Amino acid sequence: MASSAYVSAARYGKDNVRVLKTDRDAATGVHTVTEMTVSCLLEGDIDVSYTKGDNSVVVATDSIKNTIFITAKLNPVDPPELFAAVLGAHFINTYSHIHAANVKVITHRWTRMTVRGKPHPHSFLRDGQETRNVEARVSRKDGIAITSGIEGLTVLKSTGSAFHGFVRDEFTTLPETWDRILSTDVDASWKWKPFADVKAVREAVSKFNPAWEEAREITLTRFAEDESASVQNTMYKMCEQILTAVPDTELIIYSLPNKHFFELDLSWHKGIKNTGKDAEVYVPQSNPNGLIKCEVARSSPPSRGSHL
């Protein structure tokens, strides 16, 4: 009896490839380091490797790993958008049966040290777990789709955030508040308009780093200065600003977990006041936490009666 099963989707490759590249300026003696974690997954006419055990269509994942290292040696890794595009294009240009390469580049944060009041030429520090992320899908059919982003940027402000006027029903215990601590781990991304090929990505190289800087600055400034009615409202304002600041983007995505800090009633001990306007000592909460997500696009919203 013939099987009615078929491979409806498949991709494979190498994940968690760690790379550190050092660029040395011989004239100044200044070094720049870039640490990345790279994933590269391939798609194409590879069904028989799953259904028949035929490995003749398989580019070994070890070869994919080696290609990542060699591509990093022979090409710039800054901006990561270009590196991801060049890496993905290698596979569809080299292997006719590979139709798409999905590349993710996580760039880890190394900040140049200031020593005796001056930037040090070759010493760096890790000042947080924030990463700069890029995902590129390089397709023989559809060109290059790139999404850039920021992840793990932890922020907190001790006032300037409220939450009231929300639905109250038989399950509601949360009190309304006009002033609270607001903290989150920023996960923000922006999707670029499609690129036809690597040449088009190269022509846009000057836009990628400024876009990341704009998105980061907008996120921090809006977070700090906004008199926040809710996380939802604040993140929407961030999205609007990035769309305006970076015209070549078409979609902005935020995911913000609400990291809670609960007031602590200490009145049981000698009548100490530590709630409301007297709150100074709080209890950080690890879970559960609120999670708020939003996607904001340039196109018109769906008409009334339609569904997302």
Side-chain angles (χ1 to χ4, degrees), residues 16-17 32 90 125 155 163 196 213 293 307:
N16 294 313
V17 180
T32 301
H90 165 84
L125 60 89
V155 292
F163 189 55
E213 291 165 0
K293 299 191 175 196
H307 300 277

Side-chain angles (χ1 to χ4, degrees), residues 163 180 182-185 231-232 255-260 262 285-293:
F163 189 55
R180 63 174 179 172
L182 180 60
S183 180
T184 189
D185 296 325
V231 176
Q232 288 89 334
S255 177
L256 301 180
N258 199 343
K259 300 165 72 73
H260 301 298
F262 289 170
Q285 305 295 305
S286 56
N287 55 67
N289 61 272
L291 179 58
I292 298 90
K293 299 191 175 196

Side-chain angles (χ1 to χ4, degrees), residues 142-295:
D142 300 320
I144 302 176
I146 295 178
T147 301
S148 307
I150 301 165
E151 189 172 354
L153 173 59
T154 300
V155 292
L156 178 151
K157 66 178 182 179
S158 54
T159 190
S161 173
F163 189 55
H164 51 80
F166 51 88
V167 173
R168 306 200 68 86
D169 58 26
E170 60 182 310
F171 300 110
T172 303
T173 58
L174 183 70
E176 294 184 319
T177 180
W178 280 256
D179 189 26
R180 63 174 179 172
I181 290 175
L182 180 60
S183 180
T184 189
D185 296 325
V186 174
D187 182 350
S189 57
W190 47 101
K191 183 177 180 181
W192 296 85
K193 295 174 183 177
F195 298 92
D197 49 29
V198 171
K199 180 176 180 289
V201 178
R202 289 189 191 279
E203 291 171 352
V205 157
S206 63
K207 300 178 181 180
F208 295 125
N209 285 350
W212 170 74
E213 291 165 0
E214 284 272 16
R216 193 174 188 274
E217 182 65 22
I218 287 168
T219 298
L220 293 175
T221 302
R222 175 55 63 184
F223 178 85
E225 295 182 349
D226 191 42
E227 288 296 326
S228 177
S230 64
V231 176
Q232 288 89 334
N233 187 233
T234 297
M235 72 197 314
Y236 178 78
K237 294 175 183 177
M238 292 173 179
C239 292
E240 273 192 316
Q241 283 190 256
I242 294 173
L243 284 173
T244 300
V246 189
D248 290 318
T249 57
E250 59 182 18
L251 180 71
I252 313 299
I253 304 167
Y254 271 83
S255 177
L256 301 180
N258 199 343
K259 300 165 72 73
H260 301 298
F261 295 80
F262 289 170
E263 290 184 2
L264 182 63
D265 186 354
L266 296 176
S267 61
W268 57 271
H269 183 71
K270 300 180 180 179
I272 293 177
K273 295 180 180 180
N274 192 61
T275 58
K277 63 181 178 59
D278 298 309
E280 294 179 320
V281 176
Y282 298 81
V283 182
Q285 305 295 305
S286 56
N287 55 67
N289 61 272
L291 179 58
I292 298 90
K293 299 191 175 196
C294 183
E295 297 186 9

Side-chain angles (χ1 to χ4, degrees), residues 113-152:
M113 285 187 188
T114 298
V115 178
R116 303 186 188 281
K118 297 181 180 180
H120 197 273
H122 55 254
S123 296
F124 307 85
L125 60 89
R126 175 67 52 81
D127 61 352
Q129 297 306 308
E130 174 192 352
T131 59
R132 175 179 174 180
N133 297 357
V134 169
E135 294 190 34
R137 178 174 171 82
V138 184
S139 166
R140 193 180 305 281
K141 176 184 176 183
D142 300 320
I144 302 176
I146 295 178
T147 301
S148 307
I150 301 165
E151 189 172 354

Side-chain angles (χ1 to χ4, degrees), residues 8-162:
S8 59
R11 61 177 64 175
Y12 80 98
K14 210 68 166 181
D15 196 14
N16 294 313
V17 180
R18 298 184 64 186
V19 184
L20 177 72
K21 184 172 184 180
T22 303
D23 292 302
R24 302 176 177 91
D25 188 323
T28 64
V30 173
H31 294 188
T32 301
V33 297
T34 305
E35 181 183 351
M36 306 179 293
T37 301
V38 182
S39 171
C40 183
L41 305 180
L42 306 182
E43 300 175 25
D45 298 327
I46 56 176
D47 295 12
V48 292
S49 66
Y50 293 86
T51 60
K52 305 293 185 183
D54 181 353
N55 293 330
S56 64
V57 296
V58 176
V59 180
T61 66
D62 190 65
S63 301
I64 296 172
K65 175 201 69 178
N66 291 337
T67 303
I68 292 170
F69 290 138
I70 293 169
T71 303
K73 172 65 177 178
L74 299 179
N75 296 271
V77 296
D78 180 24
E81 288 85 354
L82 176 60
F83 175 72
V86 170
L87 178 61
H90 165 84
F91 292 101
I92 65 170
N93 291 335
T94 303
Y95 307 103
S96 60
H97 70 291
I98 298 299
H99 305 317
N102 302 277
V103 179
K104 181 173 183 179
V105 179
I106 300 172
T107 304
H108 303 278
R109 187 173 177 83
W110 284 110
T111 301
R112 190 176 302 279
M113 285 187 188
T114 298
V115 178
R116 303 186 188 281
K118 297 181 180 180
H120 197 273
H122 55 254
S123 296
F124 307 85
L125 60 89
R126 175 67 52 81
D127 61 352
Q129 297 306 308
E130 174 192 352
T131 59
R132 175 179 174 180
N133 297 357
V134 169
E135 294 190 34
R137 178 174 171 82
V138 184
S139 166
R140 193 180 305 281
K141 176 184 176 183
D142 300 320
I144 302 176
I146 295 178
T147 301
S148 307
I150 301 165
E151 189 172 354
L153 173 59
T154 300
V155 292
L156 178 151
K157 66 178 182 179
S158 54
T159 190
S161 173

